[in-house]
Amino acid sequence: MSKPETACGTSACGTSKCSGSEPLVHISKRVGISREKSWLIRGAALALALVLSGLIIFSIVHLNPLKVYEAMFQGAFGTSRRAWVTIRDAMMMLCIAVGLAPAFKMRFWNIGAEGQVLVGGIATAACMIYLGGSLPTPVLLLVMLVVSMVAGGVWGLIPGVFKARWGTNETLFTLMMNYVAIQLTSYAVSKWENPAGSNSVGVINQLTKDGWFPSVFGQAYMLNVIIVLIIAVLMYSYLKYSKQGYEIAVVGDSENTARYAGINVQKVYIRTMLLSGAICGVAGFLAVSGSSHTISTSTAGGRGFTAIIVAWLSKFNTFVMILFSFLLLFLEKGAVEIASRYNLNNFVSDIITGILLFCILGSEFFISYKVSFRRKRGASCPVGRADA
């Protein structure tokens, strides 16, 4: 009597003929994961990041990790002023991320937010310098808002037109536009430097405060919050409920499908990049008129690149972007605080920030994909009938 074999050729004694063809780890796309489970995975990733960071903190400086985390919180929200500065910076980050959302959803890799913010800031500073004192503050603020949107929109429109007409690489194009914007900013600084020879514009309209955001409800940065939250709500509605938002989603899924459905892909590229650049230009308006009241090559402060992380983590949901904007600003300001309070090297704070970001970004992989391991040998092979 011969030995019984499984349907795949594995003998009953456990000698497998097919186990070598089955991989140890199998990765498959998740379908229909619940919102609760996805946020549970993100929470577990954050907890893991805190544990790993705590171990590194203790191994390097022998400090209680809980005290270090408390110091991070104090650095971001310890006083009323610190809290409002964090809110102000988070609003700018959110504004840029909201501007990137339509372009990224269309799979147009707009890496030029940094430059779009700068040209928006240049336009705002020019209005404050040349129109300050000649227009009432409400009218001047409205003019600066419109001009910054036009400047940022044009800066986003240029790569959009080249992509639509000639199929250029939008990643390189928008990245190079950043360097052009930096040079334009340097030229503006040299033209408006005050005092002469300082290589700095200084605080614009410091005495008259023409073009400065007024206090709302007694808070200097409340208008920043109002403007950005309005933009976030409008963008959410635009992407989710409008015809143009539907066209953006279709083009992002497949250009061929969009063309088959009668969508003008070139028009969508141009229109969406005009919108994306315009909102990033508003961030420049917020930075100059609602925050620093000056213009320099560091006005954007790298936010244009950090906002890319915010946009991706939130899956282009502008409401979720609020959470991630505050999280990244908390990490940034908290890292600075622990470096100064405990006399740590800046590299230590960067390591902590990197671990937290790595775990949070890694959680998105486990939300999108399911990882399974090979079962025991022969477990997946049904045993056939014995041959006589």
Side-chain angles (χ1 to χ4, degrees):
M1 180 180 295
S2 62
K3 293 181 180 179
E5 292 187 353
T6 65
C8 62
T10 304
S11 65
C13 65
T15 304
S16 175
K17 299 179 182 179
C18 64
S19 61
S21 62
E22 185 180 356
L24 176 63
V25 180
H26 179 69
I27 301 175
S28 58
K29 184 76 174 178
R30 288 186 186 270
V31 179
I33 185 172
S34 65
R35 181 178 301 179
E36 293 77 11
K37 188 173 182 178
S38 64
W39 281 104
L40 182 62
I41 293 175
R42 291 189 180 101
L46 181 59
L48 175 62
L50 293 176
V51 172
L52 292 176
S53 299
L55 292 175
I56 290 178
I57 292 170
F58 184 78
S59 64
I60 295 176
V61 293
H62 302 289
L63 293 174
N64 186 339
L66 295 179
K67 289 186 177 181
V68 175
Y69 294 140
E70 181 184 357
M72 292 180 68
F73 182 84
Q74 291 294 325
F77 302 103
T79 64
S80 176
R81 176 173 175 75
R82 286 182 177 181
W84 274 104
V85 169
T86 301
I87 292 172
R88 178 200 68 189
D89 293 345
M91 289 300 103
M92 182 177 171
M93 179 91 74
L94 175 62
C95 186
I96 301 172
V98 170
L100 292 175
F104 282 0
K105 190 169 185 178
M106 188 178 61
R107 296 298 188 268
F108 188 107
W109 312 122
N110 180 14
I111 314 299
E114 195 86 357
Q116 292 150 22
V117 171
L118 285 176
V119 295
I122 293 172
T124 301
C127 290
M128 293 175 68
I129 292 171
Y130 296 117
L131 299 179
S134 60
L135 293 176
T137 297
V139 177
L140 179 58
L141 289 174
L142 182 60
V143 170
M144 290 191 298
L145 174 62
V146 173
V147 171
S148 66
M149 292 181 68
V150 171
V154 170
W155 216 248
L157 180 65
I158 295 173
V161 170
F162 273 78
K163 171 71 174 181
R165 298 291 186 183
W166 298 287
T168 56
N169 186 303
E170 69 274 13
T171 304
L172 292 176
F173 203 122
T174 53
L175 183 62
M176 292 302 103
M177 292 286 285
N178 289 335
Y179 294 99
V180 178
I182 290 173
Q183 297 305 314
L184 286 176
T185 307
S186 298
Y187 172 77
V189 170
S190 65
K191 183 177 179 59
W192 298 329
E193 62 180 0
N194 184 26
S198 64
N199 197 30
S200 171
V201 176
V203 179
I204 303 173
N205 301 335
Q206 186 172 9
L207 298 178
T208 62
K209 295 188 178 181
D210 292 327
W212 291 29
F213 277 15
S215 297
V216 178
F217 304 123
Q219 296 295 338
Y221 303 126
M222 181 61 73
L223 188 57
N224 301 54
V225 177
I226 295 173
I227 292 174
V228 176
L229 290 183
I230 290 174
I231 293 174
V233 172
L234 292 177
M235 179 59 73
Y236 179 85
S237 302
Y238 176 78
L239 292 177
K240 191 172 181 64
Y241 301 112
S242 71
K243 175 187 175 183
Q244 290 80 8
Y246 171 75
E247 290 176 345
I248 288 172
V250 175
V251 171
D253 288 337
S254 171
E255 288 187 21
N256 292 330
T257 302
R259 292 189 179 95
Y260 183 80
I263 296 174
N264 188 331
V265 176
Q266 291 187 352
K267 183 179 179 181
V268 175
Y269 274 139
I270 294 172
R271 180 184 65 211
T272 305
M273 278 305 297
L274 178 65
L275 175 63
S276 179
I279 297 177
C280 291
V282 174
F285 166 62
L286 297 174
V288 174
S289 180
S291 179
S292 65
H293 311 118
T294 189
I295 182 69
S296 70
T297 55
S298 61
T299 292
R303 303 273 189 254
F305 297 110
T306 311
I308 296 174
I309 301 176
V310 175
W312 270 107
L313 286 176
S314 62
K315 302 294 180 64
F316 317 127
N317 184 317
T318 58
F319 294 143
V320 180
M321 288 179 191
I322 298 174
L323 173 63
F324 284 111
S325 296
F326 276 100
L327 176 61
L328 292 185
L329 260 298
F330 166 74
L331 294 177
E332 176 185 316
K333 295 186 179 298
V336 173
E337 175 67 17
I338 62 175
S340 61
R341 179 179 296 192
Y342 296 111
N343 196 27
L344 298 179
N345 190 294
N346 288 334
F347 294 116
V348 176
S349 60
D350 290 340
I351 289 173
I352 296 172
T353 302
I355 291 173
L356 291 169
L357 287 177
F358 178 81
C359 291
I360 293 171
L361 289 170
S363 68
E364 298 302 313
F365 172 82
F366 293 98
I367 291 173
S368 301
Y369 296 92
K370 180 179 179 180
V371 180
S372 57
F373 295 91
R374 186 173 63 203
R375 289 176 290 182
K376 292 182 179 180
R377 181 175 296 175
S380 60
C381 300
V383 178
R385 296 178 60 183
D387 294 327

